[in-house]
Amino acid sequence: MAAKIFPSILSADFARLAEEVALISDDADWVHVDVMDNHFVPNLTLGLPVVESLVKHSALPLDCHLMIEDPDRWAPAYAEVGAGSVTIHAEAAKAPIRTLRAIRAAGARAGLGINPATPLEPYEELLGEIDMLLLMTVEPGFGGQKFLDLVLPKVRRARQLIKSRDLAVWLQVDGGVSAETIERCAEAGADVFVAGNAVYGADDPAEAVRLLRAKAEAAGA
Ligand SMILES: O=C(CO)[C@@H](O)[C@H](O)COP(=O)(O)O
Ligand SMILES: [Fe+2]
């Protein structure tokens, strides 16, 4: 298991996205793109046309986190325009198995996202349908929120399940991940770390990525 650091451009300058991505391209693994529709979450960010453009300007693959009301309708299109990974939310998807299969069929990794108050158990049988499980460590919608430690037992359970079933599913944490909290996430079993504020709020985003990776790996990721 090697730690993977996914800076979130939610905390970057939206008018300079390609340059902001280039800042971290030598050090990060993927770029996390938060798609919000102002319905599933009370915030509005960007959508398909921006992702389609950014794919062409990014040296790293894009991890699209869809915080939208109708992922069944939209998710495959993100894969079709070149996203490397597309995550839908369990709380929003009406036909998650069909949608996850459609994402994979369009050539992307398929992710399932779960909010802090949503239990893992109803979705355990979907683990065989996904390439990544996203456990939100804040309520989705905004960057810069405080990390919710109450999610850590769920991270531990998810890691045990993935291990006991011998699955190659990546376990992602997203929200409030920083130099102060990343070790707890890694100890609990996460191996993919999204960080917005901790990277783009830093004076040197590339150095912030290196620090996060060092801390995660020292804690066992
Ligand atoms: O999906 C989300 C927020 O809903 C995240 O990806 C945030 O962008 C993480 O930002 P920080 O909490 O790391 O600042
Ligand atoms: Fe996100």
Side-chain angles (χ1 to χ4, degrees):
M1 208 162 77
K4 289 173 268 298
I5 310 293
F6 287 27
S8 166
I9 54 167
L10 184 61
S11 299
D13 180 347
F14 270 29
R16 301 171 54 250
L17 282 183
E19 294 153 65
E20 296 277 76
V21 167
L23 285 179
I24 49 86
S25 289
D26 289 342
D27 295 280
D29 296 283
W30 288 56
V31 177
H32 183 84
V33 181
D34 288 308
V35 176
M36 303 185 187
D37 67 351
N38 204 29
H39 291 274
F40 181 68
V41 290
N43 197 5
L44 185 67
T45 54
L46 50 81
L48 204 49
V50 175
V51 169
E52 186 171 12
S53 292
L54 194 57
V55 161
K56 298 176 194 137
H57 292 277
S58 173
L60 297 179
L62 303 188
D63 167 39
C64 290
H65 176 193
L66 304 188
M67 285 162 277
I68 62 176
E69 211 170 59
D70 193 0
D72 304 291
R73 158 77 177 82
W74 292 103
Y78 284 85
E80 281 157 18
V81 301
S85 177
V86 182
T87 294
I88 59 169
H89 263 267
E91 301 84 359
K94 292 188 179 67
I97 297 169
R98 185 170 63 218
T99 303
L100 291 163
R101 288 182 180 180
I103 292 168
R104 281 177 158 179
R109 295 173 61 88
L112 182 71
I114 294 185
N115 283 344
T118 302
L120 179 60
E121 286 69 21
Y123 303 101
E124 283 181 12
E125 298 318 318
L126 296 190
L127 284 175
E129 299 287 336
I130 62 177
D131 301 293
M132 184 164 76
L133 178 66
L134 158 59
L135 297 181
M136 288 303 299
T137 42
V138 297
E139 294 286 8
F142 301 94
Q145 300 182 78
K146 190 175 179 308
F147 181 80
L148 293 172
D149 278 278
L150 62 81
V151 180
L152 288 174
K154 188 160 57 177
V155 178
R156 264 183 219 105
R157 281 201 307 281
R159 170 54 63 199
Q160 281 164 5
L161 265 178
I162 291 166
K163 203 173 158 198
S164 69
R165 295 186 189 181
D166 200 22
L167 297 169
V169 174
W170 293 355
L171 183 52
Q172 182 179 63
V173 284
D174 181 11
V177 176
S178 69
E180 286 70 48
T181 60
I182 196 166
E183 287 156 308
R184 308 210 281 281
C185 299
E187 279 159 12
D191 58 355
V192 177
F193 306 89
V194 176
N197 213 46
V199 170
Y200 284 107
D203 291 339
D204 183 344
E207 178 57 29
V209 171
R210 291 192 289 271
L211 175 67
L212 289 169
R213 186 188 304 285
K215 291 212 165 209
E217 290 185 348

